[in-house]
Amino acid sequence: MKNDFRAIVALATTYTIGNFLLLFNRGMYWDGWDLITLLKEKNYGLLREIYLVQFQRYTEYYALRLLGLFDNPLLISKFLAFASWLLTGLFLYGILRKKFTLPINKAFFLSALFSLIPIYLVKIDLAFAHYFVNNLLFFGAVFLYFLVEKNKNLF
């Protein structure tokens, strides 16, 4: 248990060191620049229209409603993406340790690869909010499922 805690702290530390600069980026690729500009200007009407034209009602409803609650929506969106990918890596570590009973070093290595290798170079871009939210929800649900399956009388 103590070694698991050390591995979790090491995973969170390496993720933070590897990705904290992404909190300060100004957008990636051409499809993020216009959305980030609209978000900086707090032009939620045009952002809603863009998302509705693309049939992204989920992103329009949840992301824009949530970001509209804060004074600096751009920083909040980047922080939510940052925290979601960190939690996803931690959920993956828990799944590998609890369900697949991998040793600590192998579970840490696989979780670190998933969290640190930039598979999605657009981790902190609002245009791809549905990626980080879906990954977080998927791995969180799988982790909870395996946790309940192991302890059938938990709920």
Side-chain angles (χ1 to χ4, degrees):
M1 187 67 165
K2 188 175 183 180
N3 289 334
D4 276 329
F5 180 73
R6 287 182 182 169
I8 289 170
V9 169
L11 183 63
T13 304
T14 55
Y15 175 81
T16 303
I17 291 170
N19 291 315
F20 82 96
L21 288 176
L22 291 175
L23 291 171
F24 304 109
N25 75 353
R26 296 184 308 178
M28 299 180 179
Y29 303 118
W30 55 90
D31 56 353
W33 293 335
D34 58 345
L35 296 176
I36 286 179
T37 303
L38 292 174
L39 197 57
K40 282 181 186 175
E41 296 172 354
K42 297 182 183 178
N43 190 347
Y44 297 115
L46 186 55
L47 277 170
R48 280 189 193 96
E49 288 180 27
I50 290 172
Y51 284 127
L52 288 177
V53 166
Q54 297 173 357
F55 297 105
Q56 294 181 357
R57 298 187 198 301
Y58 164 81
T59 305
E60 184 272 330
Y61 185 76
Y62 291 107
L64 295 180
R65 303 268 184 213
L66 177 69
L67 295 176
L69 298 174
F70 298 99
D71 290 334
N72 190 350
L74 186 59
L75 181 64
I76 295 300
S77 68
K78 290 178 182 183
F79 179 76
L80 286 174
F82 180 83
S84 294
W85 284 104
L86 173 62
L87 288 174
T88 301
L90 295 176
F91 283 143
L92 180 62
Y93 177 81
I95 292 167
L96 294 173
R97 285 288 292 147
K98 301 295 181 193
K99 179 61 179 174
F100 296 107
T101 61
L102 289 179
I104 292 173
N105 59 349
K106 289 182 181 180
F108 173 78
F109 181 72
L110 290 173
S111 301
L113 281 178
F114 177 80
S115 298
L116 294 173
I117 292 180
I119 296 170
Y120 299 115
L121 294 175
V122 290
K123 280 186 177 179
I124 311 295
D125 197 350
L126 177 70
F128 300 95
H130 48 278
Y131 289 155
F132 70 79
V133 171
N134 289 340
N135 276 326
L136 176 66
L137 292 176
F138 174 76
F139 282 103
V142 170
F143 178 75
L144 285 176
Y145 173 77
F146 288 145
L147 186 68
V148 170
E149 182 186 51
K150 184 177 180 183
N151 306 325
K152 294 193 188 298
N153 58 1
L154 185 63
F155 290 110

